[in-house]
Amino acid sequence: MPPIYLQEGDLHIRLFLQPKASKDQFVGIHNDELKITITAPPIDGKANEHLIKFLSKSFRVPKSAVILEKGELSRHKYVRIQAPKQIPEIIQRLLSDFNQKMSEN
């Protein structure tokens, strides 16, 4: 299963989170997960809150549409974004690359 895929209108992302970074950004694929850096520290759920806010802005959905399915206390997370209104360019490229690889196999 690829780290990023669309299913029934929702975007599913297996990610590796790096908190306390210099900026919020999508980095790319890291060990078969999407690496995301955020500025919030990993204290008292602040990193998860910040991640949800970052993803909701990036995909133009309400925060309630970003669901942390697994990994609340881990850097390795599984997130589902319900009906994203926008898909950032880096994510579009990765989805395209994974879809192309899947169709070749």
Side-chain angles (χ1 to χ4, degrees):
M1 185 81 52
I4 305 166
Y5 63 95
L6 280 166
Q7 185 178 39
E8 297 176 7
D10 291 350
L11 185 66
H12 299 258
I13 305 173
R14 201 171 56 243
L15 63 92
F16 175 79
L17 184 66
Q18 180 185 331
K20 260 180 106 177
S22 60
K23 65 181 182 176
D24 300 336
Q25 67 179 344
F26 297 104
V27 176
I29 299 301
H30 172 78
N31 291 335
D32 205 31
E33 296 175 309
L34 174 65
K35 182 176 180 181
I36 298 175
T37 61
I38 58 168
T39 56
I43 300 169
D44 297 330
K46 290 181 181 175
N48 286 338
E49 289 174 20
H50 195 87
L51 172 66
I52 289 169
K53 184 177 177 182
F54 171 68
L55 292 174
S56 80
K57 283 184 177 182
S58 297
F59 293 94
R60 295 198 180 183
V61 295
K63 287 188 271 186
S64 61
V66 179
I67 300 159
L68 182 58
E69 301 270 353
K70 291 182 186 175
E72 188 173 333
L73 300 176
S74 171
R75 288 180 177 218
H76 303 276
K77 301 181 183 296
Y78 180 78
V79 175
R80 180 168 48 98
I81 300 169
Q82 297 175 320
K85 308 278 187 277
Q86 167 184 299
I87 297 183
E89 186 178 328
I90 186 171
I91 304 300
Q92 286 179 355
R93 275 192 312 236
L94 292 170
L95 278 169
S96 177
D97 290 348
F98 289 123
N99 287 336
Q100 187 175 20
K101 286 178 185 175
M102 295 297 277
S103 67
E104 290 173 359
N105 292 336

